């Protein structure tokens, strides 16, 4: 029978075998040398010595080959080790008493190394039996029972006492571990609870800042905001530290461009450096062109922490952040991430301590009152998880250099797979793009937060419908109102936000994009939310900059339609392709793709063209097919003939994919996938969507056709 021991257990037994070999060899050499010198070496003694060495060698060889050990071999060696002591006692007469400590040595060794009481008992039992056998077999010890009796007593008492101490020691360790886990959990809970009121404070301060009647009030609210930011950073550190202690820190790598990540870091640090009059430089090796698989959130967090510290502890000079390519293979880069500063530096003694949690260097304490001393501990753990080691070199008074090397796998040339629900990286209020005029459904069971968030959104010109419960949000959504965006609190009291989103998405062909709001920044929640199909997660307290970024990253169907129509009118035919590409110069709206027809597909069709008129003919036919299918779907939906609607949608999807009409193809796909009940209940909405998307697609085809006609005429 095999016991499935862990690797460490096997290793412990390997070292036991090694120690046995060393001890037996030393014992035999000493014994034989003394015996030869004083001339008392006998044949039985030589036989025991040789056989014992052979035994130790054989067990060592067996154990060295494998980190696992069969239970049989384990118990056999535990018994045989006691038997060898017996052998030595038997052949050494009165000197045998000198070998008795070996009984305990082997018993305690087995007990401690394996941590198994069963093994300890077997070894102790064997030692006891062999010790009792000695006076039976040896006439000398039979006549010296008092001396040997004390040896037997030691065989019983010493391992028992050692076992008892070990048990108490283990219990103390377990208690300490439990206490530490409980502390981490408490810390996580407390920081979670702090986030919600902090959200209220931040929102109120944001509002005050906007509505401030005087410059002084605006300044004061800015101070509240700044202090809230610091408080939030500290709470985040505590939360991460508790995750780290509980061993729950994990990475979620995805495909990212390092340049984009560097921009996030720059956005967060540059203003702080400039405010102190420092030169801040961020550079990236131009050979780092491919995207890489990395947890961008953690990598940027580490760099922001290192660069933030560099700015904090530098009064004059510069701070630089560099990404240097050390080597490259077909599949990976080896990159050095380094942060240099010309600041106060760190003494050699402090360099050894600053990576421990809650530790600040003496000079550092004098220079900066803020900070928890957690940043480097968290960064070091994050870098370790990414496969590197965070290092520091520093000269007090001259500056510091923090760096780490990472092997990062190159991502395929596919577009970035940013996790669908990655928390948004922080950005300054000023840098956040401002979209306006969206219809937003906001659901949060905390009335104060709801009120403040609504006010903030309305300040930006959005129209906001609110709900304090999941059921309420669903009721609003079922009225058929169109929303451009849903902002759903994760914890809505009656149900969680993910359920609301699931129910809503099930009953809707073209659901509005959704963001979750949550005060729960734990990894479990983050994972759960990232699997719901939401666009992202906004962690409370929600900053207006993050909110704005989230909103402007989503262009609503209504706005897209209006934008494309406006552009179609305003843009001369020759540049209509740009309108299709989604180049949007609107003042407030970010450049967002409004690709009714994918230009790359059109280019491909052009290059495939066997005749001059190939593309024109193809698009004209597609136009007719799209109109026919759209009518067929509309009629089928009206007459509640789900089968016919799906068939026609299938045909529509096919023709759309041929010419790169991706958006209309998606509408077709949604109808194809709808079950009878959905097609019936959502009939009106689906028809409306279809009508809008088809009209825009046909208009886009017309523009391409006009363009083609003009090109043909110019030849
Ligand atoms: P915090 O900055 O919150 O105190 P960190 O763990 O990030 O915590 O840093 C621990 C300590 O290491 C700092 O308090 C400071 O004493 C020292 N330190 C970190 N970075 C630098 C730097 N670039 N220059 C000088 N001292 C530094």
């Amino acid at each position: 029978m095999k016991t499935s021991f862990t690797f460490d257990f096997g290793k412990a037994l390997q070292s036991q075998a090694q120690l046995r070999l060393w001890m037996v060899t030393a014992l035999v050499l000493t014994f034989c040398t003394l015996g030869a010198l004083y001339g008392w070496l006998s044949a039985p003694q030589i036989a025991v010595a040789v056989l014992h060495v052979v035994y130790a060698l054989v067990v060592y060889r067996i154990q060295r080959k494998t980190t696992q050990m069969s239970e049989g071999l384990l118990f056999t060696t535990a018994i045989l080790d006691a038997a060898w002591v017996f052998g030595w006692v038997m052949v050494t007469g009165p000197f045998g008493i000198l070998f008795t400590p070996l009984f305990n040595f082997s018993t305690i060794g087995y007990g401690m190394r394996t941590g198994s009481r069963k093994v300890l008992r077997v070894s102790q039992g064997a030692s006891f039996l062999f010790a009792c056998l000695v006076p039976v077999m040896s006439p000398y010890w039979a006549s010296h029972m008092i001396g040997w009796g004390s040896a037997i007593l030691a065989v019983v008492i010493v391992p028992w006492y050692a076992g008892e101490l070990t048990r108490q020691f283990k219990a103390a360790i377990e208690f300490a571990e439990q206490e530490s886990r409980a502390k981490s959990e408490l810390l996580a809970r407390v920081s979670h609870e702090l986030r919600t009121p902090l959200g209220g404070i931040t929102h109120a301060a944001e509002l005050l800042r906007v509505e401030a009647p005087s410059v002084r009030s605006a300044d004061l609210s800015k101070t509240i905001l700044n202090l809230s930011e610091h408080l939030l950073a500290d709470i985040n550190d505590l939360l991460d530290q508790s995750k780290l202690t509980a061993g729950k820190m994990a990475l979620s790598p995805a495909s990212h461009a390092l340049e984009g990540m560097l921009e996030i870091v720059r956005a967060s640090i540059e203003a702080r450096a400039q405010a102190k009059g420092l030169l801040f430089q961020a550079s990236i090796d131009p050979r780092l062109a491919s995207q890489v698989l990395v947890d961008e959130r953690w990598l940027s967090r580490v760099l922001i922490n290192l660069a933030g510290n560099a700015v904090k502890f530098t009064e004059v000079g510069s701070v630089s952040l560099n990404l240097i390519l050390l080597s490259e293979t077909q599949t990976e880069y080896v990159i050095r991430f380094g942060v240099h500063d010309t600041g106060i530096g760190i003494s050699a003694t402090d360099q050894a301590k600053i990576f421990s949690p809650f530790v600040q260097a003496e000079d550092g304490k004098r220079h900066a009152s803020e900070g928890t001393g957690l940043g480097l501990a968290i960064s070091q753990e994050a870098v370790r998880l990414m496969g590197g080691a965070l290092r520091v070199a520093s000269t007090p008074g001259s500056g510091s250099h923090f760096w780490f090397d990472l092997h990062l796998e190159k991502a395929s040339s596919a577009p970035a797979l940013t996790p669908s629900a990655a928390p948004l990286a922080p950005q300054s209020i000023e840098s956040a793009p401002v979209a306006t005029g969206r219809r937003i459904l906001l659901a949060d069971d905390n009335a104060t937060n709801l009120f403040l968030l609504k006010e903030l959104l309305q300040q930006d010109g959005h129209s906001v419908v609110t709900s304090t419960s999941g059921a309420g949000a669903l009721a609003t959504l079922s009225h058929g109102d169109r929303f451009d965006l849903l902002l759903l609190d994760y914890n809505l009291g009656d149900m969680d936000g993910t359920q609301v989103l699931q129910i809503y998405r099930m009953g809707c062909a073209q659901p509005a994009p959704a963001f979750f709001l949550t005060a729960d920044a734990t990894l479990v929640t983050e994972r759960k939310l990232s699997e719901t199909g939401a666009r992202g997660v906004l962690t409370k307290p929600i900053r207006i900059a993050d909110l704005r970024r989230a909103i402007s990253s989503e262009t609503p169907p209504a706005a897209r339609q209006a934008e494309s129509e406006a552009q179609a009118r305003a843009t001369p035919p020759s540049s209509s392709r740009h309108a299709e590409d989604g180049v949007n110069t609107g003042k407030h709206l970010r450049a967002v793709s409004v690709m009714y027809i994918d230009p790359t597909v059109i280019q491909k069709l052009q290059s495939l063209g066997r005749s001059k008129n190939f593309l024109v003919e193809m698009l004209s036919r597609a136009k007719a097919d799209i109109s026919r299918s759209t009518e067929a779907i509309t009629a089928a939906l009206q007459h509640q003939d789900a089968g016919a609607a799906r068939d026609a949608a299938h045909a529509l999807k096919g023709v759309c994919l041929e010419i790169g009409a991706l958006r209309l193809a998606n509408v077709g796909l949604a109808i194809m996938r709808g079950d009878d009940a959905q097609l019936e209940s959502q009939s009106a909405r689906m028809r409306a969507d279809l009508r809008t998307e088809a009209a825009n697609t046909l208009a886009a085809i017309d523009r391409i056709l006009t363009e083609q006609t003009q090109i043909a005429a110019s030849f």
Side-chain angles (χ1 to χ4, degrees):
M1 179 189 145
K2 286 259 178 189
T3 316
S4 55
F5 297 123
T6 64
F7 179 78
D8 284 341
F9 184 79
K11 275 254 182 269
L13 288 169
Q14 268 182 359
S15 66
Q16 164 104 337
Q18 196 171 11
L19 183 68
R20 180 191 292 112
L21 184 61
W22 280 113
M23 283 205 44
V24 170
T25 313
L27 174 76
V28 167
L29 282 177
T30 318
F31 186 82
C32 291
T33 313
L34 288 174
L37 278 177
Y38 293 100
W40 44 254
L41 208 57
S42 68
Q45 287 170 350
I46 294 174
V48 169
V50 171
L51 288 174
H52 200 178
V53 173
V54 171
Y55 159 77
L57 218 97
V58 170
V59 177
Y60 174 72
R61 292 292 301 258
I62 295 174
Q63 193 59 68
R64 211 177 60 149
K65 280 198 192 125
T66 167
T67 52
Q68 295 215 326
M69 193 185 209
S70 79
E71 207 172 71
L73 184 60
L74 176 68
F75 288 118
T76 310
T77 52
I79 295 167
L80 283 181
D81 279 348
W84 283 113
V85 183
F86 170 77
W88 281 106
V89 174
M90 291 306 293
V91 294
T92 49
F95 294 105
I97 196 82
L98 296 174
F99 291 88
T100 52
L102 291 180
F103 277 129
N104 287 338
F105 183 78
S106 116
T107 302
I108 293 171
Y110 273 108
M112 297 269 188
R113 281 174 199 278
T114 61
S116 150
R117 289 181 88 76
K118 196 169 151 195
V119 181
L120 181 104
R121 293 282 168 255
V122 168
S123 176
Q124 191 182 15
S127 296
F128 179 71
L129 282 178
F130 280 112
C132 291
L133 204 60
V134 170
V136 180
M137 305 286 285
S138 155
Y140 175 82
W141 287 113
S143 57
H144 293 83
M145 264 313 285
I146 296 187
W148 192 252
S150 60
I152 294 177
L153 214 62
V155 165
V156 175
I157 289 174
V158 174
W160 169 80
Y161 187 52
E164 198 50 30
L165 287 182
T166 314
R167 203 181 54 74
Q168 286 177 14
F169 183 57
K170 267 190 178 171
I173 292 180
E174 229 161 75
F175 180 70
E177 278 174 355
Q178 256 176 16
E179 220 181 27
S180 151
R181 270 197 300 272
K183 250 192 230 159
S184 305
E185 257 164 45
L186 180 74
L187 209 59
R189 246 175 233 190
V190 169
S191 14
H192 172 233
E193 293 307 318
L194 287 177
R195 281 165 169 274
T196 310
L198 192 56
I201 297 171
T202 316
H203 299 154
E206 301 259 22
L207 271 177
L208 263 181
R209 205 171 83 98
V210 180
E211 293 176 352
S214 66
V215 177
R216 184 168 157 68
S217 316
D219 282 350
L220 286 175
S221 53
K222 207 168 177 186
T223 310
I224 300 176
L225 269 177
N226 282 341
L227 291 175
S228 314
E229 290 276 327
H230 285 307
L231 189 56
L232 177 65
D234 289 350
I235 291 174
N236 281 339
D237 277 356
L238 284 172
L239 200 63
D240 286 336
Q241 169 64 18
S242 66
K243 276 186 205 167
L244 195 151
T245 321
K248 283 184 184 160
M249 202 157 126
L251 300 176
S252 325
S255 167
H256 288 289
L258 287 166
E259 217 165 342
M261 190 241 6
L262 200 65
E263 272 316 305
I264 293 177
V265 182
R266 189 206 296 274
S268 164
I269 300 294
E270 202 162 37
R272 274 190 258 171
Q274 278 167 359
K276 283 184 88 175
L278 300 173
L279 179 70
F280 178 73
Q281 284 175 320
S283 72
I284 180 167
D285 197 311
R287 291 169 294 171
L288 290 169
S290 302
Q291 296 200 340
V292 289
L293 287 179
V294 71
D295 187 322
E296 188 198 39
R297 191 171 80 102
W298 274 111
L299 183 57
S300 54
R301 176 108 201 260
V302 170
L303 294 175
I304 287 172
N305 178 250
L306 296 179
N309 275 348
V311 170
K312 190 156 79 175
F313 297 107
T314 304
E315 296 309 321
V316 262
S318 63
V319 168
S320 64
L321 163 62
N322 308 304
L323 272 62
I324 302 165
L325 178 65
L326 297 181
S327 64
E328 181 181 2
T329 65
Q330 285 228 308
T331 53
E332 70 166 26
Y333 291 127
V334 183
I335 306 170
R336 172 154 301 174
F337 297 81
V339 175
H340 289 263
D341 67 61
T342 55
I344 59 171
I346 309 161
S347 71
T349 336
D350 283 336
Q351 282 176 36
K353 294 192 275 182
I354 51 172
F355 293 103
S356 304
F358 304 107
V359 172
Q360 294 181 316
E362 280 308 313
D363 280 348
K365 273 188 221 163
R366 277 197 298 276
H367 269 76
S369 53
E370 56 193 55
T372 52
L374 284 174
L376 287 179
I378 295 167
S379 299
Q380 189 185 42
E381 181 60 12
V383 171
R384 192 189 64 74
L385 282 175
M386 287 187 268
L390 181 57
R391 300 185 196 288
V392 61
S394 180
T395 313
S398 306
S400 310
H401 176 204
F402 284 85
W403 79 96
F404 55 93
D405 300 341
L406 293 183
H407 290 246
L408 294 182
E409 201 182 315
K410 289 181 189 172
S412 64
S413 54
L417 292 164
T418 313
S420 59
L424 298 161
Q427 278 197 356
S428 68
I429 294 170
E430 286 70 21
S431 66
V434 183
T436 186
R438 305 288 200 261
R439 246 183 94 66
I440 297 173
L441 174 70
L442 173 65
D444 193 326
D445 66 337
N446 182 315
T448 317
N449 270 350
L450 194 70
F451 167 75
L452 290 168
L453 266 179
K454 183 182 173 188
E455 289 282 308
L456 283 175
L457 291 167
Q458 283 175 340
Q459 293 276 1
D460 279 353
H462 302 297
S463 121
V464 186
V465 177
T466 57
S467 168
T468 48
S469 68
L474 281 173
T476 307
L477 288 165
S478 67
H479 290 152
D481 293 358
R482 287 186 68 114
F483 287 99
D484 300 322
L485 192 73
L486 313 184
L487 295 173
L488 302 173
D489 189 18
Y490 170 47
N491 194 344
L492 276 168
D494 57 341
M495 61 174 83
D496 78 40
T498 59
Q499 287 169 307
V500 174
L501 186 62
Q502 260 167 16
I503 297 170
Y504 164 64
R505 286 167 71 100
M506 259 176 0
C508 185
Q510 278 193 307
F515 281 84
F516 282 112
L517 318 177
T518 177
D520 185 351
T522 58
L523 205 70
V524 182
T525 309
E526 209 173 280
R527 289 240 170 89
K528 188 173 171 190
L529 295 181
S530 69
E531 284 158 9
T532 56
R535 290 296 161 87
V537 180
L538 293 162
T539 313
K540 292 181 183 178
I542 290 152
R543 281 171 291 206
I544 186 71
D546 291 345
L547 197 59
R548 282 179 178 161
R549 232 154 40 82
I551 296 170
S552 63
S553 69
E554 297 300 331
T555 304
R560 281 194 298 252
Q561 191 184 333
E563 282 154 20
S564 71
E565 278 168 9
Q567 267 184 342
R569 282 194 298 275
T571 317
S574 61
S575 59
S576 64
R577 187 76 60 79
H578 288 298
E580 296 303 329
D581 284 345
V583 178
N584 184 333
T585 52
K587 197 173 166 212
H588 292 302
L589 296 173
R590 217 174 69 129
V592 175
S593 171
V594 281
M595 238 183 245
Y596 287 103
I597 308 277
D598 184 347
T600 54
V601 176
I602 297 295
Q603 271 161 15
K604 246 187 224 144
L605 288 174
Q606 238 162 352
S607 63
L608 274 179
R610 279 144 280 189
S611 73
K612 259 193 205 165
N613 275 340
F614 173 74
L615 182 64
V616 174
E617 277 168 20
M618 172 124 194
L619 289 177
S620 308
R621 228 187 359 248
K623 250 183 83 177
D625 286 345
I626 287 172
S627 303
R628 207 174 20 253
S629 306
T630 306
E631 272 165 33
I633 297 170
T634 310
L637 286 173
Q638 233 160 3
H639 296 113
Q640 298 183 349
D641 185 349
R646 277 192 291 266
D647 286 347
H650 187 255
L652 177 70
K653 192 195 85 180
V655 63
C656 287
L657 287 180
E658 266 176 20
I659 59 159
L662 300 180
R663 293 173 50 134
L664 189 57
N666 268 337
V667 177
L669 191 69
I671 296 171
M672 268 169 67
R673 287 188 179 156
D675 60 27
D676 292 10
Q678 280 167 354
L679 294 186
E680 207 177 308
S681 64
Q682 301 292 322
S683 165
R685 184 196 300 269
M686 283 178 176
R687 277 182 284 140
D689 283 343
L690 182 65
R691 207 172 32 248
T692 313
E693 294 291 330
N696 283 323
T697 305
L698 291 173
I701 296 176
D702 277 337
R703 284 196 294 277
I704 299 172
L705 286 173
T706 318
E707 198 178 287
Q708 290 299 315
T709 320
Q710 283 175 347
I711 293 169
S714 66
F715 278 111

